[in-house]
Amino acid sequence: MMTTTRGSILGLLLLAANCNAFNVLVIGGTRFSGAYLWKELFDRGHDVTVYNRGKTSPKPVARESDDAFQARITAATSLQGDRTSPEDLKRLIDPSKYDYVFDMNAREITDTKPLAELFVGQSNLKQYVFMSSAGVYLKSEEMPHLERDPVDPNSRHKGKLDSENCLKELGLPWCSFRPTYICGPLNYNPVERYFFERVDADRPVCIPGHGQHLTGLGHVEDLAVAMANCIGRESKTNGKVYNCQNSQAITFDGVAKAAGKVLGKEVEIIHYNPKEFTFPEGKKAFPMRPQHFFTGIHQAMEDLDWAPKYDTVEAIMRDGYLNDFVHVKAAGGLKNDFVCDDIVIEKSKVMA
């Protein structure tokens, strides 16, 4: 009769965990969403290779200790090259080695195609997971945007849409994620920070239109979990796109008020008609598009066995404030650029 010891059980568990580990190639990986995905994949025991230009040094993400960060860096393989260069790609990447590709930073088809072509005919490739954008959807009178909705061929995210079509035409096993506004610590797009800077400085928050446009925010950690959950589910995900945000939409005014709640301050809101203003060239007066822009996420929840952990805008904003904004402010990293605001505020005083 065979005797099973605690040590042998542990060994069997480790062996089983190993059997579910895969070789994963992450394109990007050092800035925001790619960094959180890298951590999520590493935490699940996958063997991660990171390919990028080497211009941005990796940083710890929120709630990652220095020891955990160093362990993640040490365990990964780092490749530096130009993703648009077929020569670099062929020299550095062995396509027969990877089970999954997570393409996190392609903006145009010229970014995507050279890499994707490398994996054509590779039987080992289980899925090419592409970071797209909900910005590809055609503006609609019926909301939320669902994955079956028409897309806008003239969208400023046309390159993302072309890339999705490229993956399909190449015959690769693929799926795509279309997030709305990704938020969270390390965010280099000033979504949350726009509101925090103004509330923190006791300034009005200038919002285009009536303030009741509904928008969708999602936390970067939730996005990373959803994307990592593709592994082992390619029988469901192949050829599909997935919206990603939290489960509700919020008005622009609501985002401002959520920022005020996090900071414990009252918020003054000024609404304005953007068509009546000319702002300095290169200046962006508001970080979101002045329209309804939010998506349904049922398909991702069902196929990926996933649900947002940060499921209120207040929770998203609070994490961004405590684990990003206060540190950036302490380091003197705030831009405090209120040029566009001052133009709006000055005119509002005249009209009052």
Side-chain angles (χ1 to χ4, degrees):
M1 185 162 108
M2 187 174 78
T3 302
T4 304
T5 66
R6 184 179 177 185
S8 64
I9 291 173
L10 180 59
L12 288 171
L13 288 172
L14 289 172
L15 180 61
N18 239 6
C19 290
N20 292 321
F22 294 98
N23 289 322
V24 178
L25 176 64
V26 176
I27 309 299
T30 54
R31 292 190 72 188
F32 182 41
S33 57
Y36 281 89
L37 175 65
W38 176 3
K39 179 183 182 299
E40 183 67 26
L41 294 169
F42 170 72
D43 287 349
R44 296 186 186 199
H46 299 299
D47 186 356
V48 180
T49 296
V50 180
Y51 181 98
N52 53 56
R53 294 172 298 175
K55 292 186 175 181
T56 303
S57 298
K59 297 177 182 176
V61 301
R63 290 166 287 279
E64 184 179 31
S65 69
D66 288 340
D67 287 347
F69 172 63
Q70 289 303 323
R72 173 163 65 91
I73 296 297
T74 301
T77 299
S78 179
L79 304 175
Q80 293 185 11
D82 181 353
R83 65 165 302 152
T84 64
S85 166
E87 292 76 20
D88 279 6
L89 294 170
K90 290 175 183 177
R91 176 173 54 86
L92 293 167
I93 295 175
D94 177 1
S96 67
K97 180 180 176 181
Y98 300 104
D99 304 297
Y100 293 89
V101 176
F102 288 85
D103 191 344
M104 303 300 290
N105 62 7
R107 293 181 178 275
E108 304 293 338
I109 190 172
T110 50
D111 299 326
T112 308
K113 194 172 183 180
L115 175 70
E117 286 180 333
L118 199 62
F119 287 88
V120 172
Q122 295 293 330
S123 59
N124 53 288
L125 181 67
K126 298 179 182 297
Q127 194 147 66
Y128 190 115
V129 183
F130 182 73
M131 173 67 86
S132 186
S133 169
V136 302
Y137 290 116
L138 189 67
K139 189 174 180 180
S140 175
E141 294 179 346
E142 187 172 4
M143 301 292 286
H145 288 301
L146 300 178
E147 289 87 349
R148 65 171 181 259
D149 285 358
V151 292
D152 182 1
N154 297 313
S155 159
R156 70 183 184 90
H157 295 284
K158 182 180 182 297
K160 298 278 194 183
L161 193 58
D162 291 342
S163 294
E164 289 180 356
N165 290 330
C166 172
L167 297 174
K168 186 188 307 182
E169 290 168 1
L170 289 173
L172 293 177
W174 71 282
C175 71
S176 176
F177 281 78
R178 294 176 177 174
T180 50
Y181 294 110
I182 310 171
C183 301
L186 297 183
N187 193 0
Y188 52 84
N189 288 322
V191 179
E192 314 100 298
R193 195 174 298 175
Y194 173 88
F195 297 93
F196 289 146
E197 280 193 288
R198 285 147 182 82
V199 176
D200 180 70
D202 296 315
R203 292 180 61 94
V205 178
C206 299
I207 294 178
H210 44 59
Q212 296 305 299
H213 283 117
L214 288 162
T215 198
L217 305 183
H219 196 284
V220 64
E221 284 184 15
D222 287 329
L223 175 62
V225 170
M227 296 187 79
N229 280 8
C230 287
I231 292 179
R233 291 183 170 89
E234 51 273 5
S235 61
K236 288 186 177 181
T237 61
N238 190 33
K240 290 185 179 179
V241 297
Y242 292 100
N243 295 332
C244 198
Q245 61 163 82
N246 72 353
S247 61
Q248 294 179 298
I250 188 168
T251 65
F252 290 163
D253 283 5
V255 179
K257 291 173 183 177
K261 190 171 183 180
V262 168
L263 272 73
K265 293 186 175 187
E266 291 294 321
V267 179
E268 179 187 355
I269 296 173
I270 296 177
H271 297 127
Y272 65 95
N273 182 353
K275 294 180 180 178
E276 295 178 356
F277 291 86
T278 300
F279 297 111
E281 188 175 351
K283 296 288 186 182
K284 193 172 184 179
F286 191 69
M288 303 178 189
R289 59 193 74 196
Q291 65 182 65
H292 295 308
F293 181 64
F294 60 101
T295 63
I297 58 171
H298 176 76
Q299 183 160 284
M301 294 178 71
E302 184 174 280
D303 286 3
L304 302 173
D305 190 23
W306 168 82
K309 174 183 174 184
Y310 296 85
D311 204 26
T312 67
V313 169
E314 183 182 338
I316 292 171
M317 298 291 278
R318 190 173 300 280
D319 188 47
Y321 178 73
L322 294 175
N323 291 297
D324 191 74
F325 182 83
V326 294
H327 303 295
V328 174
K329 180 182 177 181
L334 298 181
K335 293 183 178 179
N336 289 321
D337 183 353
F338 304 123
V339 172
C340 295
D341 300 55
D342 289 341
I343 294 172
V344 172
I345 292 168
E346 189 61 33
K347 185 168 183 177
S348 70
K349 288 178 180 177
V350 172
M351 296 176 65

